[in-house]
Amino acid sequence: DGGITQSPKYLFRKEGQNVTLSCEQNLNHDAMYWYRQDPGQGLRLIYYSQIVNDFQKGDIAEGYSVSREKKESFPLTVTSAQKNPTAFYLCASSIPQTGNQPQHFGDGTRLSIL
Amino acid sequence: LAKTTQPISMDSYEGQEVNITCSHNNIATNDYITWYQQFPSQGPRFIIQGYKTKVTNEVASLFIPADRKSSTLSLPRVSLSDTAVYYCLVVGSGGYNKLIFGAGTRLAVHP
């Protein structure tokens, strides 16, 4: 079955450490996205990529970095510059040709600080 | 980008029909109304999308009046498994359009 796989499901970060969250899709979608969700809140866009080797900052990109070297992969690095990284991180993908195409989401990675 | 307003929470009982209304007064001509469902510790799942009048699929119906300033998601005969957060979004159809998720409506279905 096609879908989006995020790993790991749970991740712990030490102070000053960078961590990388994995997102892989086999839906052959060109566009991929990273969102952050805090308890009781909606999703906020971190980064998005409409095509391989290109990505754009979302609303809350500070302290995060991404790469898009392959169509199926869009890893997110949470750097030590992100002072409040504890959150639920969601990756999504879509067909970008028109803006109203539904986004397909993975089941998230929950990041906590040790 | 149109902002949406929806109730923070709703309660229902198994077997009842649930209607969740969303207000989007500033909707633009090329905007679509889209609803997502999210269970705890999972990513949101697309439910339904519409532009005007009524759209129905195997999961829900979406009612949109002529002025398009509001919409109603209708879930027929809910079950306990419909307990989730429901998000109403307004999305443009041209080019890349950022999804803006509010806090959504927390629906609790009781036995």
Side-chain angles (χ1 to χ4, degrees):
Chain A
D1 286 340
I4 297 181
T5 301
Q6 291 188 241
S7 62
K9 192 170 181 65
Y10 299 96
L11 187 59
F12 298 91
R13 195 191 89 169
K14 295 180 180 179
E15 293 288 342
Q17 185 181 46
N18 293 351
V19 292
T20 297
L21 285 60
S22 171
C23 177
E24 302 279 331
Q25 56 101 356
N26 60 5
L27 298 167
N28 200 33
H29 287 168
D30 287 308
M32 298 187 74
Y33 315 82
W34 274 105
Y35 294 88
R36 169 182 172 139
Q37 186 173 34
D38 292 287
Q41 304 295 315
L43 285 66
R44 291 184 290 168
L45 183 65
I46 304 173
Y47 268 98
Y48 66 96
S49 168
Q50 296 190 72
I51 198 167
V52 173
N53 293 322
D54 183 63
F55 49 82
Q56 306 294 328
K57 292 182 179 180
D59 297 319
I60 55 166
E62 185 174 351
Y64 301 97
S65 66
V66 294
S67 63
R68 186 83 188 278
E69 298 176 0
K70 297 186 296 181
K71 186 175 185 177
E72 59 271 21
S73 178
F74 191 40
L76 173 74
T77 296
V78 184
T79 74
S80 57
Q82 173 48 246
K83 299 307 179 186
N84 183 24
T86 298
F88 188 46
Y89 290 88
L90 288 157
C91 178
S93 71
S94 73
I95 303 169
Q97 283 85 352
T98 55
N100 63 322
Q101 291 294 323
Q103 292 188 11
H104 299 256
F105 287 81
D107 280 339
T109 293
R110 195 168 297 279
L111 176 62
S112 302
I113 296 297
L114 284 177
Chain B
L1 294 170
K3 179 180 176 180
T4 60
T5 303
Q6 53 184 122
I8 294 174
S9 64
M10 295 181 68
D11 288 274
S12 184
Y13 293 90
E14 285 190 291
Q16 289 189 335
E17 178 184 74
V18 171
N19 296 308
I20 306 176
T21 298
C22 179
S23 171
H24 28 78
N25 290 318
N26 297 322
I27 191 168
T29 303
N30 65 344
D31 287 343
Y32 282 74
I33 298 123
T34 307
W35 287 79
Y36 285 80
Q37 173 193 56
Q38 186 179 25
F39 297 113
S41 297
Q42 292 187 23
R45 181 176 71 103
F46 170 83
I47 301 177
I48 197 166
Q49 179 176 264
Y51 184 80
K52 62 179 180 180
T53 62
K54 176 183 175 182
V55 178
T56 298
N57 62 22
E58 65 278 5
V59 176
S61 294
L62 179 59
F63 298 92
I64 305 167
D67 67 4
R68 303 199 330 122
K69 293 185 182 299
S70 67
S71 58
T72 300
L73 175 73
S74 180
L75 304 172
R77 298 180 299 281
V78 294
S79 64
L80 296 176
S81 63
D82 292 314
T83 295
V85 177
Y86 293 82
Y87 297 98
C88 168
L89 291 81
V90 171
V91 185
S93 61
Y96 172 73
N97 284 276
K98 182 170 61 177
L99 296 188
I100 298 178
F101 285 83
T105 297
R106 293 183 176 275
L107 172 65
V109 180
H110 305 280

